[in-house]
Amino acid sequence: MRNKIDPYVSDTAQQRRLYKRTLFVVVLSQIFGGAGLAAGITVGALLARDLLGTDAYAGVPTALFTLGSAAAAFLIGMMSQRVGRRFGLATGFLTGAVGAVGVIIAATFESVTLLFLSLLVYGAGTATNLQARYAGTDLALATERATAVSIAMVSTTFGAVAGPNLVEPMGRVADGLGLPTLSGPFLLAGAAYLFAGLILLVFLNPDPLLVARAIESKRQETTDTSVHKTESTHDSRGVYVGAFVMILSQIVMVAIMTMTPVHMRHHGHELGAVGLVIGFHIGAMYLPSLVTGVLVDKVGREIMAIASGVTLFFAGVVAAFAPADSLFLLIVGLVLLGVGWNFGLISGTAILVDATTPETRAKTQGSVDVWIALSGASGGMLSGIIASQSSYLMLSLLGGIISLVLVPFVLWYRRHLSL
């Protein structure tokens, strides 16, 4: 491995070529990863409702695969820190594929226990899909990190938008195989995660994180920089702020998104309409990424983090007051929800990457993604309880109001930076 890395350490042109190649490989894997991600989001709550016979626990699937993604995020981060992005990310996607197969078996035999266990394992794919964005930043210049994140994320759009709109066709495929209709999207998820993992395992070589670490080590030797000085560039405050922006965006987005399919089905919308709304939502989560990345790099991390809070607020308001039979307004609300999450994730990621060094980056990123996943699990779990005890309107409105906390928090951090 060292022989593969050495040519890149002192050759800037080689580094730039590897950076572009890494982005291409990440993009390719994310196309498949997005399709795998979309299955659980679209029909997970509906599958649980059918097996459990109640709406009160419809948020449990989202909570479970998000909880599973929390554990996976930590393990993938640790594995990436030790042996590189290639093996860490590939292992995560392949584990997600195993979870998808488990969901299919659970649905076939109507086993709630196996369903819940499989959703935990399936969550590894979600964690990997999210952590893959970091691979694009390992060799990026400081002025293009957000853009690198956005390129990795925008590629998820192709699979993520196609996934929900393949719900009905995959349901027919499942019917033809003698499987439950709602297990169909998980057939797609299993295959998609398998391909994503294999792409990274085969083509993400040499590993970008290991190369970045070797470059940093060489730079320290050349400039006679001490270990203590390098460690001092780790900005704990920046890590906390970046994490908070991503966590709050995640919890609000997951809570409203999880209960939207259930809310729609309650009011007579067909499964195809549910897939359409979620497809627009997931598209809005990822498609704006190229523009968002440029804005974060050019306009500023903090301004775009504030924009995230404001956009999520309007998303909650629109979703709350949209007439239940208005497909258009539901789409508008869920699109705003996706865009707000996109702003928060990319600006928060950029703040986090800026605040870390190659020596600690993967471990820190994995730890932060654990909290992002846990916040999503909390949002998914609480969303069903809040909606069943009050209403979808109250859930959406509460999410929008909570989002505004980002504004004063980021303004405080921005003032700290100017001191």
Side-chain angles (χ1 to χ4, degrees):
M1 175 60 74
R2 186 70 199 177
N3 290 336
K4 290 185 178 181
I5 291 176
D6 286 341
Y8 297 92
V9 174
S10 303
D11 191 332
T12 304
Q14 287 251 55
Q15 292 170 20
R16 296 305 293 172
R17 281 195 292 271
L18 181 59
Y19 165 64
K20 293 176 181 178
R21 180 186 166 199
T22 297
L23 278 182
F24 177 77
V25 173
V26 170
V27 163
L28 195 58
S29 71
Q30 289 295 81
I31 292 173
F32 288 101
L37 168 72
I41 292 174
T42 307
V43 301
L46 301 177
L47 185 58
R49 187 191 67 179
D50 285 357
L51 292 182
L52 295 171
T54 176
D55 288 340
Y57 302 104
V60 170
T62 301
L64 284 172
F65 69 68
T66 311
L67 189 62
S69 75
F74 177 76
L75 295 174
I76 292 168
M78 291 293 292
M79 190 174 183
S80 297
Q81 186 72 41
R82 293 188 178 188
V83 297
R85 302 282 189 197
R86 178 188 172 203
F87 288 107
L89 296 176
T91 300
F93 273 133
L94 295 176
T95 302
V98 172
V101 173
V103 172
I104 295 168
I105 297 172
T108 302
F109 292 98
E110 298 184 351
S111 171
V112 174
T113 301
L114 180 58
L115 174 67
F116 287 174
L117 289 174
S118 298
L119 285 168
L120 281 170
V121 178
Y122 172 76
T126 306
T128 312
N129 198 76
L130 194 59
Q131 281 209 27
R133 74 194 190 278
Y134 292 124
T137 68
D138 288 328
L139 296 171
L141 301 175
T143 55
E144 61 185 11
R145 284 170 178 160
T147 303
V149 172
S150 67
I151 291 173
M153 286 182 60
V154 77
S155 57
T156 308
T157 307
F158 300 103
V161 173
N165 289 291
L166 290 173
V167 166
E168 286 189 302
M170 291 307 299
R172 290 193 291 271
V173 170
D175 289 339
L177 295 173
L179 301 172
T181 303
L182 289 177
S183 71
F186 287 94
L187 289 170
L188 174 65
Y193 280 158
L194 175 63
F195 280 116
L198 292 176
I199 287 168
L200 291 168
L201 190 61
V202 174
F203 297 109
L204 198 65
N205 189 23
D207 191 287
L209 180 60
L210 299 183
V211 172
R213 195 176 297 166
I215 293 170
E216 180 63 23
S217 178
K218 180 69 174 180
R219 183 178 296 120
Q220 290 179 35
E221 294 174 5
T222 303
T223 59
D224 195 29
T225 303
S226 70
V227 173
H228 296 293
K229 185 174 182 180
T230 299
E231 290 178 346
S232 70
T233 62
H234 182 94
D235 177 15
S236 296
R237 193 189 298 260
V239 170
Y240 293 140
V241 172
F244 183 77
V245 172
M246 291 187 282
I247 286 169
L248 192 60
S249 302
Q250 181 80 355
I251 195 170
V252 171
M253 185 277 291
V254 170
I256 297 175
M257 174 198 68
T258 297
M259 292 310 296
T260 298
V262 177
H263 171 68
M264 292 179 67
R265 293 290 273 175
H266 266 317
H267 291 86
H269 290 281
E270 296 296 327
L271 198 57
V274 173
L276 182 67
V277 171
I278 297 300
F280 270 103
H281 165 66
I282 296 177
M285 287 171 64
Y286 297 101
L287 194 56
S289 294
L290 282 176
V291 175
T292 304
V294 174
L295 289 173
V296 171
D297 280 332
K298 300 297 183 183
V299 177
R301 279 82 160 118
E302 298 77 31
I303 291 176
M304 292 306 296
I306 291 171
S308 169
V310 174
T311 306
L312 288 170
F313 168 73
F314 283 111
V317 171
V318 173
F321 295 106
D325 60 350
S326 175
L327 191 63
F328 173 74
L329 287 179
L330 285 171
I331 288 174
V332 171
L334 270 291
V335 164
L336 287 173
L337 188 69
V339 172
W341 176 86
N342 179 274
F343 288 172
L345 188 73
I346 294 181
S347 60
T349 298
I351 293 171
L352 177 65
V353 174
D354 288 346
T356 56
T357 65
E359 289 302 315
T360 61
R361 187 162 293 155
K363 182 179 178 180
T364 303
Q365 290 163 345
S367 299
V368 169
D369 276 7
V370 168
W371 290 104
I372 295 173
L374 289 175
S375 68
S378 301
M381 182 69 74
L382 293 173
S383 64
I385 297 172
I386 294 172
S388 63
Q389 294 298 317
S390 55
S391 65
Y392 177 78
L393 183 152
M394 183 58 68
L395 170 69
S396 300
L397 198 58
L398 181 62
I401 292 171
I402 290 174
S403 302
L404 290 178
V405 173
L406 281 177
V407 177
F409 183 79
V410 175
L411 285 174
W412 165 80
Y413 176 64
R414 184 177 173 85
R415 187 176 66 176
H416 163 74
L417 289 177
S418 63
L419 295 178

